[in-house]
Amino acid sequence: SAVISQKPSRDICQRGTSLTIQCQVDSQVTMMFWYRQQPGQSLTLIATANQGSEATYESGFVIDKFPISRPNLTFSTLTVSNMSPEDSSIYLCSVAPGGKEKLFFGSGTQLSVL
Amino acid sequence: DQQVKQNSPSLSVQEGRISILNCDYTNSMFDYFLWYKKYPAEGPTFLISISSIKDKNEDGRFTVFLNKSAKHLSLHIVPSQPGDSAVYFCAAFLVRSGTYKYIFGTGTRLKVLA
């Protein structure tokens, strides 16, 4: 299993600013996944972050908008840059420490952009 | 291109009865499937999973059925309880290019009526 601490839990931000979301895991994991859930929508994978290498971004997501850091095997950050109201979503980090059988999620960051 | 679909956005069931949540997928390369439950303001929590080599997996009140020929899986909850009221997501595991990812369905909001 894995315990994931994610912060902030929620934030209200102004258009054009940036927010960095932190994700701390209680065990070492190779891969960390960042998801976005827009209101009433599915969980959409933004990127996969491996320690020591560049994150792999899914179609429709770019590094300039969502830069990710992965300095070690227990920590990652996702930055939402130059925010617009369309970025208002829940952002979730997740890990699969035991392999494919189970993916664990943090409690999420509820972001509202005015 | 939504590779994992949950065609029923919502479902209401009487307490004590069976809840059946459905999920369809398009990619035959998926080899593992998972179900998650999500309450508001919380991250998704793992419920049950199934390998593509099986057609059924059971854990307490939860049973998942997989029909590979139809590319369809379903989650049965028996008996349903008011605490089961939440949004349910199915997810598929995909290996690609030496890495892997999880693709989520669009979710079904289950309401169990007391």
Side-chain angles (χ1 to χ4, degrees), chain A residues 38-106:
Chain A
Q38 293 178 302
Q41 302 297 313
S42 179
L43 282 71
T44 302
L45 182 64
I46 298 172
T48 303
N50 285 339
Q51 192 269 335
S53 64
E54 292 285 331
T56 302
Y57 289 83
E58 295 297 306
S59 175
F61 298 96
V62 295
I63 187 171
D64 290 345
K65 175 67 175 177
F66 298 101
I68 288 172
S69 77
R70 185 78 204 275
N72 57 54
L73 290 172
T74 63
F75 187 79
S76 178
T77 67
L78 170 76
T79 298
V80 187
S81 303
N82 188 25
M83 289 184 285
S84 67
E86 292 70 34
D87 295 319
S88 297
S89 297
I90 299 172
Y91 292 84
L92 297 148
C93 69
S94 61
V95 299
K100 63 185 178 183
E101 287 80 8
K102 196 176 292 188
L103 182 68
F104 294 89
F105 283 88

Side-chain angles (χ1 to χ4, degrees), chain B:
Chain B
D1 177 27
Q2 187 69 33
Q3 298 187 67
V4 181
K5 296 181 181 180
Q6 295 173 254
N7 292 318
S8 298
S10 64
L11 175 68
S12 292
V13 173
Q14 285 294 132
E15 180 179 8
R17 304 295 292 268
I18 184 171
S19 295
I20 300 176
L21 297 99
N22 295 304
C23 180
D24 298 295
Y25 62 95
T26 58
N27 192 337
S28 58
M29 299 301 292
F30 293 146
D31 75 341
Y32 207 81
F33 301 90
L34 309 90
W35 282 94
Y36 283 81
K37 176 170 70 174
K38 187 179 185 301
Y39 294 118
E42 295 183 12
T45 54
F46 172 82
L47 277 175
I48 193 170
S49 60
I50 188 167
S51 167
S52 62
I53 63 173
K54 296 186 176 181
D55 56 16
K56 178 182 175 181
N57 188 27
E58 191 171 355
D59 184 1
R61 297 186 299 115
F62 302 94
T63 303
V64 56
F65 295 91
L66 176 62
N67 183 334
K68 284 191 68 176
S69 61
K71 294 190 177 67
H72 177 83
L73 63 155
S74 60
L75 174 68
H76 293 208
I77 306 173
V78 181
S80 301
Q81 301 172 353
D84 295 330
S85 298
V87 178
Y88 289 77
F89 292 95
C90 63
F93 176 85
L94 178 66
V95 176
R96 50 104 195 234
S97 304
T99 184
Y100 58 90
K101 64 178 180 178
Y102 299 80
I103 300 172
F104 283 79
T106 46
T108 297
R109 182 177 301 276
L110 173 66
K111 187 172 184 179
V112 180
L113 306 170

